[in-house]
Amino acid sequence: MVVSRVFSLGVTGVEGYLVTVEVDIGPGLPCFEIVGLPGRAVREARDRVRAAVSNSGFTFPVRRIVANLAPGDIPKAGALYDLPLAVGILAADGQIPEGPLERWVFLGELSLDGGLRPGRGVLPMCLSLPALGLGTVVLPADSACEAAAVPGLEVGGMSCLADVCRAVEAGRLPHGGRRGTR
């Protein structure tokens, strides 16, 4: 069994907090379960992630997949967990390396073709990163300006899952990422 860990963010009110997305791929009947108090949009990620992974040129594993969104006692809402779930699955399956996953934070809704869509709450989430000791966020290109408002934050605005995976494989953001300057 292989477990990958990918960082993401959640928001409660106007406060951002760290969410660790743990993905375990193991033997058993093929299924994709998400635990850790996922809301409806998070549970629906199963179908978006499966289609986005396949339509981005990767193989969606036909095994038992369990994804845990920790901390498990705080409800998770929204579709911004699609990207970290997809990255976690690809890393746990060995299709991309785990190298930068311990230093980067991932946010973004996936379209069925693998494109990235922006979501709400990016600024308060990203404002929490310096206090958490994390300085790089990978998110949809349409959210990059909002995230770049955080001083010193390295922002990787991407257009699709395939671009994110190429950056993970390279171990760096394209063009060095965008730095927050305000």
Side-chain angles (χ1 to χ4, degrees):
M1 281 191 250
V2 178
V3 176
S4 68
R5 285 178 184 76
V6 178
F7 294 122
S8 190
L9 298 165
V11 67
T12 300
V14 295
E15 296 289 320
Y17 64 92
L18 188 66
V19 174
T20 303
V21 178
E22 301 169 315
V23 177
D24 174 67
I25 298 179
L29 291 175
C31 69
F32 180 10
E33 297 294 327
I34 301 172
V35 298
L37 288 181
R40 183 179 175 124
V42 179
R43 286 191 306 271
E44 290 175 351
R46 293 182 299 218
D47 296 318
R48 288 189 301 273
V49 168
R50 182 178 284 115
V53 165
S54 297
N55 291 327
S56 296
F58 296 96
T59 302
F60 192 85
V62 184
R63 298 195 313 235
R64 179 172 169 69
I65 302 169
V66 178
N68 179 40
L69 306 177
D73 61 344
I74 301 173
K76 316 305 181 300
L80 288 177
Y81 299 107
D82 291 4
L83 179 59
L85 285 165
V87 169
I89 288 167
L90 292 171
D93 197 43
Q95 295 184 58
I96 61 171
E98 292 190 58
L101 301 185
E102 62 194 32
R103 305 182 316 270
W104 294 2
V105 174
F106 297 85
L107 293 169
E109 178 181 349
L110 288 169
S111 64
L112 298 181
D113 66 0
L116 286 173
R117 294 183 173 140
R120 288 186 259 157
V122 169
L123 183 58
M125 288 183 206
C126 289
L127 284 169
S128 69
L129 286 174
L132 296 169
L134 295 165
T136 303
V137 64
V138 177
L139 70 173
D142 290 344
S143 297
C145 287
E146 189 176 351
V150 179
L153 186 62
E154 185 177 16
V155 178
M158 307 280 181
S159 62
C160 65
L161 177 61
D163 289 348
V164 172
C165 292
R166 280 191 284 276
V168 170
E169 288 173 0
R172 61 182 167 70
L173 298 176
H175 313 296
R178 171 190 233 162
R179 282 269 179 210
T181 56
R182 294 185 186 164

